[in-house]
């Protein structure tokens, strides 16, 4: 088994005349938290869509859990799970019913037991029987993550999961992600926020204008990037 959860070489993607990814290279170690940091439009979501087999790259090679995403997309999908920017929950159902539905769709055994364990793990036991209309944004995001974790994926992709959350809900989400990482699952996180990458990630790669301009630990990035000219702004962008 390879030690890499993700390996990307020379990845390119364009939409008509607009180049989104222009020769992207990076690697993600198994069992780590990896943050892809960049401003809006940098290409983060496009990279995730390629790695999760939703779209195909124009050029380059990408492997997830040692599997070529272009040649064996179904095998890749068996290994991963994805939480997108939009919270994917059914507002009509209760939290418990949402989890039971996903467990059923994934053909998991002992669905009721798995559901109750998941509600407890994500601090949703008291809210489990309530409709989603009574949930806060942070609670809905935690439920979304709980649904993502069903079936014990090897690799979880989180595409800007804290967008739209208030500061308190964001901190609670970070704590949830830390617990997910502590279970040994590899987490691939995209974010606009340096403080989010700093709080969660073992490795950070900065995506700017379709290219990875630097990758390393936070301390390595601080040593590599000049303090004045290329400082990462705390909230959004690379300048």
């Amino acid at each position: 088994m390879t030690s890499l959860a993700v390996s990307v070489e020379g990845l390119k993607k364009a939409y008509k005349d607009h180049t989104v990814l222009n020769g992207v290279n990076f690697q993600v170690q198994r069992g780590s938290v990896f943050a892809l940091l960049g401003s809006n439009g940098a290409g983060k979501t496009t990279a995730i869509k390629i790695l999760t087999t939703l779209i195909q790259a124009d050029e380059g090679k990408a492997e997830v859990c040692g599997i070529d995403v272009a040649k064996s997309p179904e095998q890749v999908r068996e290994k991963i799970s994805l939480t997108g920017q939009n919270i994917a929950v059914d507002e009509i159902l209760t939290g418990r019913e949402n989890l039971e539905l996903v467990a059923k769709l994934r053909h998991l055994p002992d669905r009721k037991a798995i559901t109750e364990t998941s509600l407890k793990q994500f601090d949703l036991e008291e809210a489990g029987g309530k409709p989603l209309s009574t949930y806060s944004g942070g609670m809905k995001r935690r439920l979304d993550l709980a649904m993502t974790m069903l079936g014990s994926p090897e690799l979880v992709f989180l595409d800007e999961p804290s967008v739209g959350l208030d500061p308190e809900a964001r901190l609670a989400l970070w704590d949830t992600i830390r617990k997910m990482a502590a279970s040994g699952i590899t987490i691939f996180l995209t974010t606009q926020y340096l403080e989010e990458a700093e709080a969660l990630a073992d490795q950070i790669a900065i995506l700017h204008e379709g290219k990875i301009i630097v990758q390393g630990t936070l301390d390595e990035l601080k040593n590599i990037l000049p303090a004045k000219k290329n400082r990462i702004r705390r909230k959004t962008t690379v300048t």
Side-chain angles (χ1 to χ4, degrees), residues 82-212:
L82 167 65
T83 292
Q85 295 180 26
N86 297 319
I87 299 175
V89 294
D90 191 321
E91 297 282 346
I92 298 176
L93 303 178
T94 66
R96 180 174 285 105
E97 289 169 340
N98 269 277
L99 285 163
E100 288 178 348
L101 176 60
V102 173
K104 184 177 181 179
L105 291 172
R106 293 186 177 177
H107 306 287
L108 300 179
D110 302 321
R111 291 192 290 271
K112 290 189 178 297
I114 289 172
T115 294
E116 295 308 314
T117 299
S118 186
L119 287 171
K120 183 177 181 180
Q121 180 182 0
F122 287 86
D123 298 321
L124 292 169
E125 282 182 289
E126 294 184 6
K130 298 178 181 179
L132 268 291
S133 59
T134 66
Y135 282 38
S136 66
M139 291 169 67
K140 289 179 181 178
R141 177 55 85 186
R142 292 207 308 277
L143 178 63
D144 195 19
L145 291 174
M147 293 160 64
T148 297
M149 292 288 287
L150 289 178
S152 302
E154 292 183 25
L155 171 60
V156 172
F157 290 90
L158 305 179
D159 191 13
E160 300 199 42
S162 66
V163 168
L165 297 183
D166 60 46
E168 183 177 356
R170 180 176 287 116
L171 290 175
L173 172 66
W174 289 1
D175 187 53
T176 299
I177 293 173
R178 290 188 187 99
K179 291 178 181 178
M180 291 167 61
S183 71
I185 292 172
T186 307
I187 295 177
F188 187 114
L189 169 78
T190 70
T191 182
Q192 301 178 44
Y193 305 104
L194 174 60
E195 63 268 28
E196 187 160 78
E198 181 179 356
L200 299 173
D202 303 304
Q203 287 275 320
I204 302 169
I206 301 175
L207 183 63
H208 182 58
E209 296 183 351
K211 294 184 177 182
I212 299 294

Side-chain angles (χ1 to χ4, degrees), residues 36-47:
L36 187 61
L37 176 66
S39 58
N40 280 331
K44 303 186 302 296
T45 297
T46 296

Side-chain angles (χ1 to χ4, degrees), residues 25-26 38 69 71 77 81 94-95 122 133 163:
N25 302 280
F26 61 81
V69 300
K71 294 180 180 179
R77 288 193 287 270
S81 194
T94 66
F122 287 86
S133 59
V163 168

